[in-house]
């Protein structure tokens, strides 16, 4: 079974997010910028980070402890 928070998952998630005008347009109007992390409750670090700029995901990929930006939102799954 594919890991829910894989590189492929992050890229598909970003593509769907960016293709959903009902998501992007209001966030762009609000000038929404954020770093969103996804991972598992029992892990120290997240697995994936998304960089949102002006409502669109500009970067999506695996978390890197030395180069990933600090998350504004850290969403964890059991």
């Amino acid at each position: 079974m594919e890991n829910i928070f894989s590189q492929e998952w992050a890229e598909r998630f970003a593509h769907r997010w960016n293709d959903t005008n009902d998501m992007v347009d209001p966030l762009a109007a609000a000038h929404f910028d954020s770093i969103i992390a996804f991972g598992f409750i029992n892990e120290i670090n997240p697995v994936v980070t998304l960089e949102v700029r002006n409502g669109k995901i500009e970067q999506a990929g695996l978390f890197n402890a030395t180069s990933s930006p600090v998350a504004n939102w850290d969403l964890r799954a059991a």
Side-chain angles (χ1 to χ4, degrees):
M1 181 177 174
E2 178 188 358
N3 183 345
I4 188 172
F5 300 130
S6 65
Q7 179 67 39
E8 295 78 21
W9 178 89
E11 291 169 4
R12 282 193 315 272
F13 187 92
H15 181 72
R16 291 187 72 156
W17 173 305
N18 289 341
D19 283 350
T20 305
N21 291 336
D22 288 343
M23 173 76 110
V24 172
D25 293 347
L27 293 174
H31 307 288
F32 181 79
D33 294 340
S34 192
I35 306 299
I36 304 169
F38 291 88
F40 299 101
I41 290 172
N42 59 345
E43 299 287 327
I44 293 171
N45 292 318
V47 181
V48 166
T49 56
L50 308 174
E51 297 182 37
V52 182
R53 299 284 173 247
N54 208 32
K56 290 191 110 176
I57 296 176
E58 296 291 326
Q59 185 77 6
L62 298 177
F63 175 81
N64 181 313
T66 59
S67 63
S68 290
V70 175
N72 306 107
W73 299 73
D74 191 341
L75 308 172
R76 302 297 180 115

